[in-house]
Amino acid sequence: MSDSLPLLLRAARGEAVERPPVWMMRQAGRYMKIYRDLRDRYPSFRERSENPDLSYEISMQPFRAFKPDGVILFSDILTPLPGMGIDFDIIESKGPQIGEPIRTIDQVNALRPLLPGESMPFVGEVLGRLRESVGNEAAVLGFVGAPWTLAAYVVEGKSSKNYAVIKAMAFREPELLHKLLDHFAESIASYLRYQIDSGAQVVQMFDSWAGQLSPADYDVFAAPYQKKVVDLVKQTHPDTPFILYISGSAGVIERMAQTGVDIISLDWTVDMAEACARLPEHIGVQGNVDPGLLFGTPQAIEARIDDCVRKARGRRHILNLGHGILPGTPEENGAAFFTAGKSVMDRVGALA
């Protein structure tokens, strides 16, 4: 029966639910002491995310502590890169570092098609174990980085403040960039299919840096490749809810809705009611509490959650932050977010 399925899965599908499901982006790690202790023992991020025992343990830590309605795979958007022939590392306090940035057509032509079952079997193992562990108490979420954001990392070679290198490529050598983006779209679609086949019930695509594009350039370099990923996944897995998140997306919300995704994950820079008014009614929303609120009082967190839920009334809504939970967030305030989220209907009344 449908009502025996996880709340988040039912909500994401557009079914009537008793309350908005709640989880947090980046809920595994950073702010939890149990994670920081594990990180001290295993300082390599790639080991933590690619060792299935460690990835599973980190994914389960917030579930055991807070019982969120979604459990997301502990991984990184760059994890599939080695399977395509691109080496990377993630350095504490410095972020991602690409061994040899992609700058030439020869490098793009040398990229391998992604075969996730061969290059990332640990991802499938962790997703399967998560499904077995949480049952119907929570939905298991998979995720990927979108083609533009992956390209931004591999072309820049690291995080960037102004994205000058990839924008130079976009405006000087657009054919080169389009070929790279298309390769990523094909590969990411394969990766998402693998995640769903392995146990992911809902998937989210992060185009973290698409907010750095003007709307006109979003239409050229981001949206078509987001849509290609969505279309390819929907061909084989039409019933798996698909969420799209862009940081700094207020200027392109309507465009995001045209990519074929089921749910738009909103950051906190747009008012929830205004965002809902700008989106077609069949599109769900996720978000969008400012993660900075979690440095405030439990009362402030509760009030903002209530406001968010009221403004999303009548829309399929997954309660979440507008970005990932911030390092240094008091752990008890993470707990307060979940407590307030799960009890929100007691304060704001029925959703109907």
Side-chain angles (χ1 to χ4, degrees), residues 5-6 9 56 60 71 124-141 195-202:
L5 295 173
L9 178 58
Y56 167 81
M60 287 294 292
V71 173
E125 179 181 338
V126 174
L127 287 168
R129 289 171 64 181
L130 292 175
R131 274 290 293 278
E132 187 177 344
S133 296
V134 303
N136 287 327
E137 291 185 72
V140 173
L141 294 112
Q195 290 189 28
I196 297 166
D197 289 340
S198 299
Q201 296 163 291
V202 179

Side-chain angles (χ1 to χ4, degrees), residues 22-298:
V22 55
W23 67 284
M24 292 191 296
M25 289 185 282
R26 290 183 180 157
Q27 67 189 15
R30 289 184 164 205
Y31 67 108
M32 295 185 72
K33 183 179 186 302
I34 191 172
Y35 171 80
R36 294 196 302 273
D37 291 345
L38 184 147
R39 183 185 61 191
D40 291 342
R41 296 197 305 274
Y42 302 96
S44 164
F45 179 89
R46 286 194 60 179
E47 182 182 9
R48 295 195 299 275
S49 60
E50 298 177 17
N51 177 313
D53 292 330
L54 295 177
S55 174
Y56 167 81
E57 176 61 27
I58 296 166
S59 302
M60 287 294 292
Q61 285 174 350
F63 179 73
R64 296 187 187 117
F66 310 120
K67 289 294 188 291
D69 295 306
V71 173
I72 191 164
L73 167 75
F74 179 76
S75 186
D76 193 80
I77 62 172
L78 303 186
T79 296
L81 292 182
M84 293 179 253
I86 304 170
D87 192 33
F88 82 96
D89 201 359
I90 296 180
I91 310 299
E92 198 70 37
S93 78
K94 288 188 176 180
Q97 307 285 312
I98 305 298
E100 294 184 22
I102 304 294
R103 308 277 172 84
T104 69
I105 191 67
D106 288 342
Q107 288 176 294
V108 175
N109 289 336
L111 295 177
R112 301 192 296 267
L114 184 67
L115 302 172
E118 295 181 13
S119 61
M120 295 176 288
F122 48 88
V123 167
E125 179 181 338
V126 174
L127 287 168
R129 289 171 64 181
L130 292 175
R131 274 290 293 278
E132 187 177 344
S133 296
V134 303
N136 287 327
E137 291 185 72
V140 173
L141 294 112
F143 74 96
V144 293
W148 167 262
T149 289
L150 292 182
Y153 275 116
V154 304
V155 172
E156 296 281 342
K158 57 184 179 180
S159 298
S160 174
K161 291 184 178 178
N162 56 22
Y163 301 89
V165 182
I166 192 169
K167 288 190 175 183
M169 182 183 288
F171 304 136
R172 290 183 175 186
E173 301 178 275
E175 298 85 359
L176 170 58
L177 181 54
H178 281 300
K179 188 161 189 176
L180 177 61
L181 291 166
D182 195 65
H183 181 92
F184 282 152
E186 296 270 357
S187 297
I188 288 311
S190 296
Y191 186 29
L192 276 176
R193 288 168 165 172
Y194 173 71
Q195 290 189 28
I196 297 166
D197 289 340
S198 299
Q201 296 163 291
V202 179
V203 293
Q204 178 159 324
M205 181 161 61
F206 290 85
D207 212 346
S208 309
W209 306 127
Q212 300 292 322
L213 291 167
S214 71
D217 294 322
Y218 174 83
D219 289 344
V220 174
F221 296 108
Y225 299 100
Q226 294 168 356
K227 187 175 189 305
K228 181 166 185 174
V229 174
V230 175
D231 288 348
L232 288 171
V233 173
K234 291 290 186 181
Q235 283 175 15
T236 54
H237 300 81
D239 298 324
T240 300
F242 202 125
I243 306 169
L244 173 61
Y245 174 79
I246 297 176
S247 180
S249 62
V252 295
I253 288 172
E254 293 88 348
R255 287 166 160 84
M256 293 170 71
Q258 296 170 13
T259 60
V261 297
D262 304 295
I263 297 165
I264 302 296
S265 187
L266 300 160
D267 75 5
W268 73 94
T269 64
V270 62
D271 180 81
M272 176 60 80
E274 293 174 11
C276 288
R278 292 168 58 186
L279 289 168
E281 290 186 3
H282 71 279
I283 299 286
V285 290
Q286 177 175 269
N288 69 335
V289 175
D290 183 348
L293 252 293
L294 271 63
F295 288 101
T297 64

Side-chain angles (χ1 to χ4, degrees), residues 277-321:
R278 292 168 58 186
L279 289 168
E281 290 186 3
H282 71 279
I283 299 286
V285 290
Q286 177 175 269
N288 69 335
V289 175
D290 183 348
L293 252 293
L294 271 63
F295 288 101
T297 64
Q299 294 77 17
I301 296 167
E302 184 178 278
R304 191 61 60 89
I305 285 173
D306 294 355
D307 179 67
C308 179
V309 171
R310 283 194 189 96
K311 288 177 175 176
R313 188 184 298 272
R315 178 83 59 155
R316 74 173 124 161
H317 177 215
I318 298 170
L319 180 62
N320 206 317
L321 300 176

